[in-house]
Amino acid sequence: MIRFLVVVGRVLAVCALLIGVEVGIPVMLVRFAGWPLPRAIPTGGDIEAFLMNPISEEVLLKALACPLWLLWGAFTAALVVEAAAAVRGVEIHVPMLGPLQGIAAGLIGSLSFAMLPIEAEAASFSTPGRPVVDAPQHVDPRTHVVKKGDSLWSIAKHELGESRSWRKIWKLNAHRRQVDGQMFTDPEHIHPGWKLRLPELRPEAITLDHTRSVALIPEAQPSAAQPVPAKAQTEDLGGRLVVTINVPSGAVIALSAASGVCAAYAAAQFHRRRRRRSDDPVRPPAVVQAARSAFFQPFRDQGVSVPSNGDLIRQMSSIEAPDRLVIGTHDDGTAAAVPLGGLSLGLTGPGSLDVVRALLLDLLHQAGNFRLEIIITTADAAAIVELDRDGLDALANRLPGVTLVDSPADRLEEIHFTRGRILAERDAADIDELRQRDPGELLPNVLLIGTIEDDTAARLQSLVTAGAQYGLGALLLGTWTSTCHIGPDHRATTAEGPYARPLHNASLVHLPAADLVDALRNLADAQPVDNAPDTPAPTATAIPWEHATPIRVRVLGKPAVWVKGHDQPLRIRGLKLLLLVYFALHPQGATKEAIGEALWPGKQLGHEFHSLLRHLRDALEKATGLTGEPFIQAMDDETYRIDSAKISYDLWDFQEAAKTARTTPDTRRDALAQAASLCGGELATGIHEDWVLDEKYPLTLAQVDVLTQFASLCQADDPERAVDALERARDIDPDAEETWCHLIRLLHNLGRPAQARHTGQLLRAHLHGLQVEPTSETEELLATTTTRSAPQGRRRSP
């Protein structure tokens, strides 16, 4: 009953406000100012008398009341419009009403929301057995109350586990009126207090919880010559499955790390078979063998097929940046996890170094494809993996996501500044939002691992403070703002700061140095071997650069990518080169779907396009030194195009110069000269994709036409340039008989009969090779040029 009275009170309050506005305001205006308009049409004399006499207080009061009457009328119209919109369940926008419609929408929405519990209460008092028409039925939808700083992307990430699922939330809530009366019409604009329905989470047929841990627990000392069996046991603790494996080292790693170890081993085996290497060891190290047994055991227990090597390798190509780190388990089997973005945690105690080793292994297996970057000093890396400098360098150079630095604070400041600029330029609230707009961007989570130096502690603390927004974090050995002390049994004895609750008394993952090195070598073997890297070292002295952009792509002829300051083209191959060529033919941009059909015909795309985009951007970024530049811009969720301020094409310049030559007679020769200098041959020589083949011949004809026209303009005053232009046109399209004939006539007119005859012989040989007879006009020209005449200045002997 109390609830019913509260609801009635709310409804009466809103109604009183509406009555006060709609009735009280006009009553007050009539009472104090009267009717503002004249009651009869004024005559000329009335108007003259009004203008000649002083303005009375009554007239002045009526004049001041007119705007208030207009405002009241507009607000009344807004109420009518919003009431109709609420009844029909649609949005009605009247431009003339402006903000008044928003205020009216709030009042109508508040009234509608206040009345909902009354209907529900009425339903509870309805007669048993009789259905209540229009009573709201509770379907128990999951909801999220919007907080300040929320976006659909961040809500999807935290509630659904994947930011890309924001469209599901939008689909459920689109065009629904919210509690403040506003209609949800734009997925980029949500307001605090809104209640958004969330899609139901459907359990999969089999789920592998990556918050579990894989324990590698020692058993009796085995014989040195006999391999240690991986003996698995399973125990259900608190609804979580814990897997224990008996191996000599006594290590414990998270299931995500075990999954990564399995994927790396599968990839390493693939590369060995690809190179036909038979001298590599067949049996993996004990830590790899145990991790594989632990990872596959849940599949066997549930009677599900074990993932194939192909499935495991494809797992490594994921583009989703990890957002949390499993650091251990509680006694009830639940995971002890901390967020990666903005992580600021120090580890102390005798077990801290082993914990960092296990976490480093987990992180590096999630670092591939630019998902995560680990920043660590050389000294700290050597202490963690216990290798000398040469062994450390050899290993680090083959691991994805590792950046060895001398000053970690300098590197973090560089990333902080670059990402701050990117967020400001692209009007994004944080890195998560930017990743959603452009999943192919190079925006890994960045984590500093190592010891704490006193002279840089303050700098690091200020950088990590805003780490969640910029994707930065720190996992440090030593006392920090949040510290966890780890005992010799690798259990968290004390924990302070925001991570105290998830870490308190947790049993943490741990790994000895020997096992870490074996697992990292397994990961290094999984990386593709390429003795010729994509990015050449910059030359000591920069060569002259004629282009306005730092990158120049040639597609007329054999494709090549040139970078300012390099004397050799960038080694870009495969799909990366195809993508650049594709954009050359689509300067206005192309959809992801169209690009996917061109590069992966007939295949349903997952994250392949964005993965390719990341690798291409990385190669261009390293070559140019332009950190944080996209090079290929994301126009929206589906459309991409080349950033013409960073990349230019010979094809685009050729087409622009040829257009100028056609449309501007005064500069025709200069434009033709520029276009002729860009004629490099067949489009994308060596590439035979269908979407390239369709464009090859038209562009070949266009180049021949430009060179022929330029030769015609030059042959009078610059015959050498004319000959050169025609010879280039002939080389570009040797089947164009007319070009040969034009060249032969020009050589004959220039008094070069021997060169003309030689050119004619080349033409005959080319046509005979094609089993084609020359035309009658060509035959007549060849007969004329091949007739030998006696040298002038010498008479024949009698």
Side-chain angles (χ1 to χ4, degrees), residues 12 15-16 28 41 84 106 108 167 174 210 220 245 294 321 339 396 404 423 507 547 596 598-599 712 725 753 755:
L12 292 177
C15 291
M28 291 177 61
I41 299 176
I108 295 295
R167 290 184 178 86
H210 282 219
I245 306 292
L404 295 178
L423 291 177
S507 180
H547 313 293
L599 271 59
S712 298
Q755 194 173 353

Side-chain angles (χ1 to χ4, degrees), residues 357-406:
R357 291 184 180 117
L359 295 177
L360 179 62
L361 175 66
D362 192 0
L363 291 167
L364 288 178
H365 279 99
Q366 301 183 66
N369 216 354
F370 309 100
R371 289 174 286 171
L372 184 68
E373 178 182 354
I374 303 296
I375 298 176
I376 188 170
T377 65
T378 304
D380 287 333
I384 291 173
V385 299
E386 295 184 0
L387 289 176
D388 58 24
R389 180 61 184 266
D390 293 339
L392 178 64
D393 288 341
L395 184 60
N397 289 335
R398 299 171 58 200
L399 293 175
V402 176
T403 302
L404 295 178
V405 295
D406 295 327

Side-chain angles (χ1 to χ4, degrees), residues 485-503:
H485 186 273
I486 304 168
D489 59 350
H490 305 104
R491 183 175 286 273
T493 57
T494 61
E496 303 171 351
Y499 312 112
R501 186 171 182 178
L503 296 183

Side-chain angles (χ1 to χ4, degrees), residues 749-771:
N749 294 336
L750 291 176
R752 304 178 185 178
Q755 194 173 353
R757 284 196 302 272
H758 178 68
T759 303
Q761 291 168 356
L762 292 177
L763 173 58
R764 284 187 182 277
H766 179 72
L767 294 176
H768 288 165
L770 298 175
Q771 297 183 354

Side-chain angles (χ1 to χ4, degrees), residues 8 13 16 72-73 91 127 168 196 238 241 304 318 409 490 512 516 573 632 670 682 709 738 741 753 781 793:
V8 170
W72 174 81
E91 182 179 13
T127 304
K168 297 180 180 178
L196 302 180
L241 190 64
V304 179
S318 170
H490 305 104
L516 175 62
R573 298 166 298 170
I632 298 172
D670 292 339
E682 178 190 57
Q709 294 174 41
E738 182 180 355
C741 294
L781 176 63

Side-chain angles (χ1 to χ4, degrees), residues 309-556:
N309 284 348
D311 294 333
L312 294 171
I313 293 173
R314 281 188 288 273
Q315 169 189 321
M316 300 177 68
S317 64
S318 170
I319 64 172
E320 292 292 336
D323 59 357
R324 72 171 189 160
L325 178 64
V326 175
I327 198 169
T329 55
H330 297 289
D331 291 340
D332 62 355
T334 58
V338 293
L340 267 181
L343 177 64
S344 182
L345 178 63
L347 302 179
T348 61
S352 58
L353 195 57
D354 285 343
V355 172
V356 168
R357 291 184 180 117
L359 295 177
L360 179 62
L361 175 66
D362 192 0
L363 291 167
L364 288 178
H365 279 99
Q366 301 183 66
N369 216 354
F370 309 100
R371 289 174 286 171
L372 184 68
E373 178 182 354
I374 303 296
I375 298 176
I376 188 170
T377 65
T378 304
D380 287 333
I384 291 173
V385 299
E386 295 184 0
L387 289 176
D388 58 24
R389 180 61 184 266
D390 293 339
L392 178 64
D393 288 341
L395 184 60
N397 289 335
R398 299 171 58 200
L399 293 175
V402 176
T403 302
L404 295 178
V405 295
D406 295 327
S407 174
D410 290 344
R411 174 61 179 160
L412 278 183
E413 281 184 345
E414 176 189 353
I415 297 173
H416 188 278
F417 173 79
T418 300
R419 294 191 172 182
R421 174 179 57 83
I422 294 173
L423 291 177
E425 289 177 351
R426 305 184 199 177
D427 193 25
D430 53 30
I431 290 298
D432 284 339
E433 182 177 343
L434 201 57
R435 288 187 184 124
Q436 286 304 316
R437 293 185 186 177
D438 187 2
E441 182 61 280
L442 297 171
L443 295 170
N445 277 333
V446 179
L447 188 67
L448 170 64
I449 295 181
T451 55
I452 307 168
E453 300 292 339
D454 293 338
D455 57 339
T456 60
R459 291 172 64 193
L460 290 177
Q461 185 173 348
S462 64
L463 290 169
V464 178
T465 299
Q469 181 182 8
Y470 295 97
L472 308 178
L475 179 65
L476 303 171
L477 286 165
T479 303
W480 193 237
T481 54
S482 298
T483 304
C484 177
H485 186 273
I486 304 168
D489 59 350
H490 305 104
R491 183 175 286 273
T493 57
T494 61
E496 303 171 351
Y499 312 112
R501 186 171 182 178
L503 296 183
H504 178 66
N505 205 31
S507 180
L508 305 185
V509 295
H510 54 274
L511 195 68
D515 277 355
L516 175 62
V517 172
D518 285 342
L520 292 184
R521 284 173 176 160
N522 174 65
L523 178 59
D525 290 341
Q527 307 311 308
V529 176
D530 188 354
N531 296 324
D534 283 341
T535 307
T539 55
T541 57
I543 61 175
W545 189 253
E546 303 174 354
H547 313 293
T549 58
I551 299 174
R552 178 73 167 181
V553 181
R554 181 185 70 200
V555 295
L556 295 177

Side-chain angles (χ1 to χ4, degrees), residues 701-735:
L701 289 181
Q703 293 179 79
V704 170
D705 289 343
V706 163
L707 290 167
T708 303
Q709 294 174 41
F710 182 63
S712 298
L713 293 178
C714 292
Q715 62 185 13
D717 58 350
D718 196 348
E720 292 300 329
R721 293 188 71 181
V723 171
D724 177 71
L726 289 175
E727 288 180 340
R728 290 172 57 203
R730 174 200 61 188
D731 294 340
I732 290 174
D733 187 9
D735 297 336

